[in-house]
C-alpha cells in the first residue's frame, strides 16, 4: 500500500461505507436506522429494553419492574423469571431448529463433532442430572476448567439449567491460579477433563486440578472428569467421577429451573490493579437479553449463517459470543480446540473452508500473527463464504485492520471492531455492520441504549479529540452486579473514581479514549495497572506478587512494553535478595516461577535485575519511568519527586 494511503487512514480521512448488498439484507440497514434506534433507546432506555426483552426472550413469569437503579446497584427485570438454558435450547426444540446444528466442533487433531439443538439439549439435561447426583443444588458454585470441547459449553448450560452459578477458569491457568479461584468462589464441584490438545501437545488438566486440591480448596467435594485425550490420570476414590460413568446412571429429564432475573448466572475472574483477581458477577435476565441482542445486530446473525468466534470459553468473549449469545439466537456456532501452530499455521482458514464459515470473530493479536506468517497461507484457501469479520480484545492498529479487510475479507466484508469488557458482559461500542461506516482503528459508536462519554478527572466531558477516561453513564442490562464477596472493591474499582457534577457515579472502564468530531470512539488502552498481552488482561501487581513469592526476590515492579505482535509484553524489574547474584539461569527460573504461579500467559518477556527501583519520597514506585525504560525511550517529564536520582542511571545501564 502506498504510504499516502496509510497516511490518510491514520488521519481518519478514510471511511469504509457498508457494502450495499450487505446493508440491503441487514437487521439495521443504514446510518439513519441506527440513529433512530439510538435516539429511541436513549430517550427511554427502560422502554427500549423492555420491548426487546418481551420480543426476544422467553419468560416463565413477566417482570414487575424493568429497572431498579440504586447507584451503583442495578436490578433488571425485577420479579421476572426465566432460564437462559431454556432460551438457548428448549425454545428451539418446538421449531424446525430442533435438527439444526447448534455446535460444530473441530478438535485440534482433526476429529470433529456436530451437535444439533436436540442433541445438545439432551446432553445438557444429562449433565445437569449428573451434577445433581453429586449433590449440586441451586446456588452452589461450580468451577469449569476445561479444554475447548463441547462439554465445556454443555457444563455451562447445565449449570445455568439448575441455577448453579459457574466459574469458568481458563485452561491455561496454573494449579495455583485455579486454587485461588476455587477458594474465592467456594466452589463445590470442579468440572474438568483428563486433558486437551493445544499446539500439538497434551495439556494435563486433571493433574492441575489434583495439585490445586492438594494445596487446599476445602469447599470442593467432587470432581467430574470428561474423557478427551485418554492420557492416564489418577482418580481419587469417591471424589473423582468420570462423566461417561455418571451419564449412564441418569435420565435426560431435567426441566429448566425457573430463575429470578437477578439470580447469579456466573462469576468470571479478571485481573485488576491489585494482586488478587476479581470475581465479576453477572446475573440472568439482563445478561441473556443483552448478549442475545448484541449478537443478533452486531454480527447480523441469520439462521443460515455459520458463525465462529475463536476465543476460549475461559474468557468473557467465549461466554457471551460462543455460547450464550449465539445459542439464544438459535444460531450455528463453531468451537475450535486448536490455535495456529507451526505444524498448521493455516488451521483457521481450513476451518473456515471446511464449514463454510460466514461470520468470523477474532483478536488483533491473531491478525498480527497472520500478517507475519504471510498472506500466501490464507490465499491458498477458499474464504469466499465469509461475509462479516470482527475483532475484540485490544485496539486494532490500522495496518492490521487494512490487512484483515483486504486479505481475509477480500474488501467485501464489513469489519466490526467491538469494544467491551468482562464487566460489561456484552459489546458496548461497535459498528452495526449494515449501518455504520467504519474507520480503521476506531470501534465507532455506542450500541443502542448505551450512553458512553469521555471525561476528565472531574467527570466533565472533554472536547472532541481530547484524550480522557472512557465512562458509561446509564445502567445497561448486562452490567457487572458485584465483585464476588467484595462489594467494597466493586464500588471502589468502578464507581468511585469519577462522578458527574451533580454527584452521580459514572462507570469507569479503566480505558483511555478520545471521541472524534463524528462521534467515533478511539480506545487508547488501559489507564490503570493492567497489561494486555495478546488481549489477555493481567494485573501488574498479580505478576509482582508471583515474583516476590520466589525466595531470591526482594522486590519487583512489572510494566507493559509495546510489542508488535502481542500489543504489550511483560517487562519485570527485579531487585534480588542481598545473597543472590543476577544470572541468566535465575532469570529463567523466575520466568518459570511465574508460569507456575499464574500460567504461561503471564510469563515475563524480559527480566531486568536492578539493585533499586525508582521511588517517590513517599515510597511509591514510579511506573511511568519504568515504562519509558522498558520501551527503550528517553525519560521525559518530571522526575523531581524521585527519592534517589542515581537509581535511574543504574537502570539505564541495565544492571
Ligand atoms: C480492551 C474482552 C480497544 C480494553 C472483551 C478493555 C479493547 C479490555 C477492545 C477488556 C477494542 C477490548 N478496542 N480495546 N475493540 N476490546 N479492549 O475484560 O482495554 O478481557 O478494557 O474483555 O480489553 O478486556 P476483557
Amino acid at each position: 500500500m502506498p504510504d499516502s494511503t496509510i497516511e490518510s487512514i491514520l488521519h481518519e480521512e478514510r471511511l469504509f461505507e457498508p457494502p450495499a448488498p450487505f446493508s440491503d439484507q441487514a437487521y439495521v440497514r443504514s446510518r439513519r436506522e441506527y440513529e433512530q434506534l439510538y435516539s429511541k433507546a436513549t430517550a427511554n432506555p427502560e422502554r427500549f429494553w423492555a420491548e426487546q426483552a418481551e420480543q426476544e426472550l422467553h419468560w416463565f413469569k413477566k417482570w414487575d419492574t424493568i429497572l431498579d437503579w440504586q447507584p451503583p446497584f442495578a436490578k433488571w427485570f425485577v420479579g421476572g423469571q426465566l432460564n437462559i438454558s431454556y432460551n438457548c435450547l428448549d425454545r428451539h426444540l418446538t421449531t424446525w431448529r430442533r435438527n439444526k446444528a447448534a455446535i460444530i466442533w473441530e478438535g485440534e487433531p482433526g476429529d470433529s463433532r456436530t451437535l444439533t439443538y436436540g442433541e445438545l439439549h439432551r446432553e445438557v439435561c444429562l449433565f445437569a442430572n449428573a451434577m445433581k447426583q453429586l449433590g449440586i443444588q441451586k446456588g452452589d458454585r461450580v468451577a469449569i476448567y476445561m479444554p475447548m470441547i463441547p462439554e465445556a459449553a454443555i457444563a455451562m448450560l447445565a449449570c445455568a439449567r439448575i441455577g448453579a452459578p459457574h466459574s469458568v477458569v481458563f485452561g491455561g491457568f496454573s494449579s495455583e491460579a485455579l486454587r485461588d479461584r476455587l477458594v474465592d468462589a467456594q466452589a463445590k464441584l470442579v468440572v474438568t477433563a483428563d486433558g486437551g490438545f493445544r499446539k500439538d501437545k497434551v495439556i494435563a488438566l486433571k493433574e492441575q486440578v489434583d495439585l490445586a486440591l492438594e494445596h487446599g480448596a476445602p469447599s470442593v467435594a467432587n470432581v467430574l472428569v470428561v474423557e478427551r485425550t485418554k492420557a492416564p490420570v489418577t482418580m481419587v476414590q469417591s471424589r473423582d467421577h468420570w462423566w461417561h460413568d455418571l451419564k449412564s446412571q441418569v435420565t435426560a429429564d431435567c426441566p429448566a429451573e425457573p430463575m429470578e432475573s437477578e439470580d447469579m448466572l456466573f462469576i468470571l475472574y479478571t485481573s485488576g490493579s491489585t494482586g488478587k483477581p476479581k470475581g465479576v458477577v453477572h446475573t440472568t435476565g439482563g445478561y441473556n437479553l443483552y448478549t442475545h441482542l448484541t449478537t443478533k445486530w452486531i454480527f447480523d446473525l441469520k439462521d443460515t449463517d455459520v458463525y465462529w468466534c475463536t476465543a476460549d470459553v475461559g474468557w468473557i468473549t467465549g461466554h457471551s459470543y460462543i455460547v450464550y449469545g449465539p445459542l439464544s439466537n438459535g444460531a450455528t456456532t463453531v468451537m475450535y480446540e486448536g490455535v495456529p501452530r507451526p505444524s498448521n499455521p493455516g488451521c483457521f482458514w481450513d476451518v473456515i473452508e471446511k464449514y463454510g464459515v460466514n461470520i468470523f470473530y477474532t483478536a488483533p493479536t491473531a491478525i498480527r500473527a497472520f500478517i507475519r506468517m504471510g498472506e500466501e497461507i490464507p490465499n491458498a484457501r477458499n474464504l469466499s463464504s465469509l461475509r462479516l469479520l470482527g475483532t475484540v480484545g485490544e485496539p486494532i492498529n490500522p495496518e492490521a485492520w487494512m490487512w484483515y479487510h483486504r486479505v481475509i475479507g477480500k474488501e467485501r466484508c464489513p469489519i466490526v471492531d467491538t469494544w467491551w469488557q468482562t464487566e460489561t458482559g456484552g459489546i458496548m461500542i461497535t459498528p452495526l455492520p449494515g449501518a455504520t461506516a467504519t474507520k480503521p482503528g476506531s470501534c465507532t459508536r455506542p450500541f443502542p441504549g448505551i450512553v458512553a462519554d469521555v471525561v476528565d478527572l472531574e467527570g466533565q466531558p472533554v472536547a472532541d479529540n481530547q484524550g480522557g477516561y472512557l465512562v458509561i453513564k446509564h445502567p445497561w442490562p448486562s452490567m457487572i452486579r458485584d465483585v464476588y464477596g467484595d462489594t467494597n472493591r466493586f464500588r471502589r474499582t468502578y464507581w468511585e473514581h469519577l462522578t458527574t457534577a451533580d454527584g452521580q457515579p459514572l462507570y469507569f472502564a479503566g480505558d483511555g479514549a478520545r471521541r472524534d468530531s463524528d462521534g467515533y470512539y478511539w480506545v487508547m488502552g488501559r489507564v490503570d495497572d493492567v497489561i494486555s498481552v495478546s488481549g489477555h488482561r493481567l494485573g501488574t501487581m498479580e505478576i509482582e506478587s508471583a515474583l516476590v513469592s520466589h525466595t531470591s526476590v526482594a522486590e519487583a515492579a512489572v510494566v507493559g512494553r509495546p510489542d508488535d505482535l502481542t500489543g504489550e509484553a511483560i517487562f519485570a524489574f527485579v531487585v534480588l535478595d542481598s545473597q543472590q547474584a543476577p544470572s541468566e539461569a535465575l532469570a529463567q527460573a523466575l520466568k518459570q516461577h511465574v508460569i507456575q504461579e499464574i500460567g504461561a500467559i503471564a510469563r515475563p518477556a524480559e527480566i531486568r535485575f536492578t539493585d533499586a527501583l525508582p521511588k517517590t519520597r513517599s515510597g511509591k514506585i514510579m511506573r511511568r519511568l519504568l515504562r519509558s525504560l522498558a520501551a527503550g525511550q528517553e525519560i521525559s517529564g518530571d522526575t523531581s519527586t524521585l527519592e534517589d536520582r542515581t537509581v535511574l542511571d543504574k537502570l539505564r545501564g541495565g544492571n
Side-chain angles (χ1 to χ4, degrees), residues 268-271 280 315-318 321 361 364 391-396 416-427 429 441-443 470 507 509-512 522-528 530 532 535-537:
L268 184 58
Y269 286 86
T270 188
S271 295
V280 172
W315 310 115
I316 191 68
T317 309
Y321 298 111
Y361 189 31
T391 85
V392 59
E394 56 182 312
I396 181 165
V416 288
D417 173 357
T418 61
W419 177 86
W420 60 296
Q421 313 178 291
T422 306
E423 294 86 344
T424 67
I427 298 169
I429 307 185
S442 166
C443 54
L470 182 57
Y507 171 79
D511 279 324
W522 300 77
V523 175
M524 289 161 353
R526 303 290 305 192
V527 294
D528 52 7
V530 171
S532 165
H536 300 319
R537 279 168 68 170

Side-chain angles (χ1 to χ4, degrees), residues 129-252:
N129 279 337
M131 289 197 295
K132 280 193 201 162
Q133 187 155 311
L134 295 176
I136 297 302
Q137 296 173 353
K138 193 170 176 171
D140 291 340
R141 273 85 53 218
V142 174
I144 300 178
Y145 183 65
M146 288 283 265
M148 280 290 286
I149 57 175
E151 281 71 17
I154 291 167
M156 290 163 75
L157 290 160
C159 285
R161 195 164 188 85
I162 61 176
H166 55 69
S167 160
V168 183
V169 179
F170 172 56
F173 277 122
S174 69
S175 59
E176 292 288 325
L178 171 63
R179 193 204 45 180
D180 289 348
R181 287 157 175 77
L182 296 176
V183 170
D184 191 83
Q186 294 288 294
K188 276 185 80 173
L189 171 72
V190 180
V191 176
T192 190
D194 48 2
F197 296 101
R198 200 174 172 87
K199 295 200 173 168
D200 302 315
K201 285 203 215 86
V202 172
I203 307 295
L205 290 166
K206 174 65 168 62
E207 208 175 287
Q208 296 298 313
V209 173
D210 293 342
L211 279 170
L213 297 185
E214 251 169 54
H215 293 156
S219 59
V220 176
N222 291 289
V223 180
L224 182 49
V225 189
V226 177
E227 186 174 64
R228 164 66 182 135
T229 61
K230 298 198 165 67
V233 294
T234 322
M235 296 293 277
V236 174
Q237 227 203 337
S238 81
R239 185 195 76 182
D240 299 351
H241 315 266
W242 285 109
W243 158 230
H244 52 258
D245 287 343
L246 287 189
K247 194 174 181 176
S248 60
Q249 298 165 21
V250 292
T251 72

Side-chain angles (χ1 to χ4, degrees), residues 93-125:
L93 301 187
T94 52
T95 72
W96 67 271
R97 291 193 186 116
R98 185 164 74 93
N99 294 316
K100 176 181 174 176
I103 295 179
I104 295 179
W105 172 80
E106 178 85 3
E108 197 185 79
D111 46 345
S112 58
R113 277 162 76 189
T114 298
L115 289 147
T116 63
Y117 274 92
E119 289 167 333
L120 183 60
H121 173 260
R122 184 180 153 79
E123 290 292 311
V124 168
C125 290

Side-chain angles (χ1 to χ4, degrees), residues 266-284:
F266 64 84
I267 306 170
L268 184 58
Y269 286 86
T270 188
S271 295
S273 327
T274 65
K276 200 167 149 256
K278 313 181 271 256
V280 172
V281 172
H282 282 290
T283 56
T284 306

Side-chain angles (χ1 to χ4, degrees), residues 550 584-594 607:
H550 192 277
E584 184 47 36
L586 185 53
Q588 287 309 326
L590 293 180
K591 289 180 187 177
Q592 206 45 49
H593 183 70
V594 175
I607 289 186

Side-chain angles (χ1 to χ4, degrees), residues 4 16 47 60 79 107 131 180-181 189 202 218 260 279 362 415 437 474 476 483-484 528 530 533 551 625:
S4 57
F16 289 81
R47 193 166 71 202
F60 298 135
M131 289 197 295
D180 289 348
R181 287 157 175 77
L189 171 72
V202 172
E260 293 296 324
T362 195
I415 296 178
H474 190 276
W476 66 101
V483 169
Y484 190 72
D528 52 7
V530 171
V533 181
T551 47
L625 301 184

